[in-house]
Amino acid sequence: MLRFLNQCSRGRGAWLLLALTALALELIALWFQHVMMLKPCVMCIYERCALFGVMGAGIVGAVAPKTPLRYVALLIWLGSAWEGLRLSYEHTMIQLHPNPFVTCDFAARFPGWLPLDKWLPSVFVASGDCAERGWSFLTLSMPQWMIVIFAAYLLVALLVLIAQPFKPKRRDLFSR
């Protein structure tokens, strides 16, 4: 399995699949926001940014998967999945254990050199309450589902990282 994961990480297809899954989740988030009229909170916006990081990792990995750039993409993937998992867990704790002293910010804080909320307000402006459970599926709220999603991204990223020293088998028609 590790050889297979190494071989996949050296091809564009797996990296594009990673980017496409993150893009699909971003589009679903925008559908929830603009069609179902669920207001994203600050934690939702930060989790959205972590998903964009996973998508960016897929794009970086797809650019040159047979070069050391693959390791840069893997680091972006690991960091984004870890941060997304951390944010989703924190968001879930705010929802499960509401406390007037532990709340999220009113607006997302982006660095001055990357004002995403100014550049793309329809995607990055928060208007909801972090403690509100506006949607659930199979008894899990949206941040709980994001824990599952980011944990899966992190697990696969760790397996791909572990697989890097395992060289893929060379398949030759005349060798045994």
Side-chain angles (χ1 to χ4, degrees):
M1 179 179 89
L2 293 175
R3 290 182 193 276
F4 174 74
L5 287 174
N6 184 311
Q7 182 178 357
C8 287
S9 75
R10 294 172 186 270
R12 281 191 172 87
W15 290 106
L16 289 174
L17 180 63
L18 177 67
L20 286 175
T21 60
L23 176 64
L25 289 168
E26 292 290 355
L27 292 175
I28 290 168
L30 290 172
W31 184 76
F32 276 117
Q33 179 181 351
H34 296 291
V35 176
M36 291 184 65
M37 298 306 198
L38 295 175
K39 297 177 182 176
C41 67
V42 171
M43 296 300 286
C44 294
I45 298 298
Y46 291 153
E47 291 161 23
R48 201 175 276 187
C49 290
L51 265 179
F52 273 113
V54 172
M55 187 187 334
I59 292 168
V60 169
V63 168
K66 290 180 173 43
T67 68
L69 192 59
R70 173 175 86 250
Y71 294 105
V72 173
L74 194 51
L75 288 175
I76 295 170
W77 182 9
L78 284 164
S80 296
W82 175 260
E83 186 63 13
L85 182 61
R86 187 191 67 74
L87 289 164
S88 300
Y89 177 78
E90 185 179 330
H91 190 180
T92 299
M93 291 300 108
I94 289 172
Q95 284 188 348
L96 293 179
H97 309 290
N99 181 344
F101 303 109
V102 180
T103 60
C104 58
D105 296 333
F106 293 110
R109 290 178 285 152
F110 293 108
W113 54 271
L114 191 66
L116 295 175
D117 53 340
K118 306 278 188 291
W119 292 345
L120 211 55
S122 62
V123 177
F124 294 108
V125 169
S127 57
D129 179 16
C130 292
E132 183 181 325
R133 288 179 62 143
W135 176 88
S136 67
F137 179 67
L138 299 176
T139 72
L140 295 178
S141 67
M142 201 169 303
Q144 290 172 319
W145 278 109
M146 293 310 296
I147 288 175
V148 172
I149 289 165
F150 282 119
Y153 275 138
L154 185 61
L155 176 64
V156 174
L158 287 171
L159 288 173
V160 171
L161 177 66
I162 292 168
Q164 291 310 299
F166 293 85
K167 299 292 180 210
K169 285 185 180 177
R170 184 171 172 184
R171 300 194 181 227
D172 191 1
L173 184 63
F174 300 107
S175 67
R176 292 183 189 225

